[in-house]
Amino acid sequence: MNEQITAAPGAAANSAAAESGWRNELKATFTLAWPLVVAQLAQTALTTTDVIMLGWLGPSYLAAGTLANTFLMPFLVGGMGIVGAVAPLVAQARGARDIKAVRRIVRQGCWAAIILALCVVPIILQIRPIFGLLRQDPAATIMAEQFIQVGAWMLFPALILVAFRSLLSAYAKTRIILLVTVGGVLFNAAANYALIFGNFGFPRLELRGAALATVLTNVLMLTALATYVLRHPQFRRFHVLNRFWKPDWPRFRQIFRIGTPIGLTVVSEVGLFTAAALLMGQLGTDEVAAHAIALQCASMAFMVPLGLGTAATVRVGLAYGQNDPQGIHRAGWTAFVLGTGFMALSCIAFLTLAPFIVRLFLDPTHAENANALLLAASFLTIAGIFQLVDGAQVVAAHALRGMSDTKVPMLLAIVGYWIVGLPTAYALGFMLGWRGVGIWTGLAAGLAFVAVVLVTRFALRERLGLLPRALA
């Protein structure tokens, strides 16, 4: 009896401590995540602005811009994934109180960004022969090349920007990321309006104008964040750019060892949507334009769990560096609940408001837009169905990255997207004659597979030996 009496207060104290731990984690995750979420939405607004303004020029310009961005995106996000290894590595170093490692990781992240851009820009500039092999429409290819000839150079500032964003995210300085990104959106909108249409005395550059605006916007955002890091007292002590050309090969290899699987994971997903756009290109210009609209809307919603996923990487990484298994547990599942909860709301919005949403992108009063609008609404309805699994897979993947678990998730993603998703899309779209609806259904199948396996992997992290070695 006495044992029961003394045990009861202890159990109550443990329960209160656990509840307090969850509350604190929710607060910390939300405080870290909400500027990242808004910044991710603002980042997507950069592309959305391009899509909307090119749509004002007509469906052919919208289709060409979409093909160009679709071709560029795997190279961009792949590089961002590799350089993005800076975030979990800095978070782990911060959790372990290894200040010297922080400086070296960020510096070598910048190295990785420059080297990656030098390697891929020459490939991107070969869009015309590559699209010729892929049997894309010659007229659309020529127009897309106009965008790529300028837009390819945005990789240099965009990838270096990731290293600075990762440092700031790992130290929970996310509001400056938000402010700089919002400023970039406003600048991009003004630059697009001036350079695409020839307003304010600027030449009318159309597709090249949209690309030039994107390059200038990334240069501006990089300059702003780099200046903040170099002058802020908390980060000035790292001396990120001092002796910049001094190599740190162990850190450099570590970034590629952790980041390459991340980059390939992201590329496998983006590549699935790239392949879907190329399949749409075989169906017609209206299908490509409709795909662009639906994908842009889905991407906007996706930015919320993506921002929460970035927060999960940082929070899990901090707990990992501190050898705190309960912290890892709370950080991962808190972000998961928040991410899937939001995607449930976006699912409802897409299912009920699809015809109204797509009218923001093409003028419904023009008869030539009628078919593209109808197709876009049907694609967006399917996008609403896979919102939940899309949010689940991205948060789970980021939580695993916080533990430096990237290789197996990469393999699972490749299987899900390219062995499950793409064949399903092709079979439904072309063999069964579902056309664009079948392609989008295949996308949903691939995302669902990846969501199930990655969430399961995080749930079984202890059995799979993913915890820090000190706790294994």
Side-chain angles (χ1 to χ4, degrees), residues 19-60:
E19 183 179 348
S20 175
W22 283 103
R23 281 200 306 268
N24 291 338
E25 184 59 45
L26 177 62
K27 180 179 179 181
T29 299
F30 184 79
T31 301
L32 175 63
W34 79 259
L36 290 174
V37 168
V38 180
Q40 292 287 3
L41 289 168
Q43 186 75 32
T44 304
L46 293 173
T47 308
T48 304
T49 303
D50 293 347
V51 170
I52 291 176
M53 291 195 180
L54 288 175
W56 292 350
L57 291 175
S60 62

Side-chain angles (χ1 to χ4, degrees), residues 321-394:
Q322 295 167 350
N323 292 335
D324 180 5
Q326 287 302 314
I328 293 172
H329 176 81
R330 286 192 294 266
W333 290 116
T334 297
F336 178 82
V337 170
L338 290 174
T340 53
F342 172 82
M343 293 303 262
L345 297 178
S346 65
C347 170
I348 295 172
F350 287 175
L351 291 176
T352 57
L353 301 174
F356 303 97
I357 295 173
V358 298
R359 293 179 185 177
L360 297 173
F361 295 86
L362 289 175
D363 189 346
T365 61
H366 292 176
E368 64 271 20
N369 295 337
N371 188 44
L373 286 169
L374 183 62
L375 291 169
S378 63
F379 297 166
L380 192 58
T381 300
I382 300 172
I385 297 173
F386 70 60
Q387 289 296 287
L388 290 175
V389 294
D390 203 12
Q393 62 89 16
V394 70

Side-chain angles (χ1 to χ4, degrees), residues 52 66 173 226 249 275 322 394 401 432 438 460:
I52 291 176
T66 300
K173 294 294 185 181
W249 298 118
Q322 295 167 350
V394 70
R401 290 170 195 172
L432 296 184
L460 299 178

Side-chain angles (χ1 to χ4, degrees), residues 394-464:
V394 70
V395 174
H398 278 77
L400 292 169
R401 290 170 195 172
M403 299 184 290
S404 295
D405 179 37
T406 59
K407 292 183 180 179
V408 173
M410 173 195 69
L411 296 175
L412 295 173
I414 291 173
V415 170
Y417 299 138
W418 291 92
I419 297 180
V420 176
L422 185 60
T424 302
Y426 182 82
L428 296 178
F430 292 88
M431 298 174 66
L432 296 184
W434 291 14
R435 296 178 66 82
V437 171
I439 292 173
W440 271 78
T441 304
L443 298 179
L447 290 169
F449 175 88
V450 175
V452 170
V453 294
L454 291 187
V455 172
T456 301
R457 183 169 178 82
F458 181 77
L460 299 178
R461 62 195 176 279
E462 293 186 33
R463 296 183 186 180
L464 297 174

Side-chain angles (χ1 to χ4, degrees), residues 83-91 93 98-114 159-171 222 225-226 229-230 235 238-242 244 246 248 251-252 254-255:
V83 182
V86 170
L89 291 174
V90 169
D98 189 351
I99 301 301
K100 290 183 179 179
V102 172
R103 175 174 62 249
R104 294 171 179 172
I105 291 166
V106 176
R107 187 180 297 162
Q108 294 308 300
C110 293
W111 271 46
I114 294 170
L159 295 183
I160 300 173
L161 181 64
V162 174
F164 287 98
R165 282 173 56 110
S166 298
L167 170 64
L168 293 167
S169 297
Y171 277 84
L222 171 60
L225 278 191
V229 168
L230 296 176
F235 301 103
F238 293 130
H239 304 292
V240 173
L241 297 184
N242 286 4
F244 182 81
K246 181 181 179 180
D248 186 344
R251 298 293 180 188
F252 184 78
Q254 185 183 33
I255 287 174

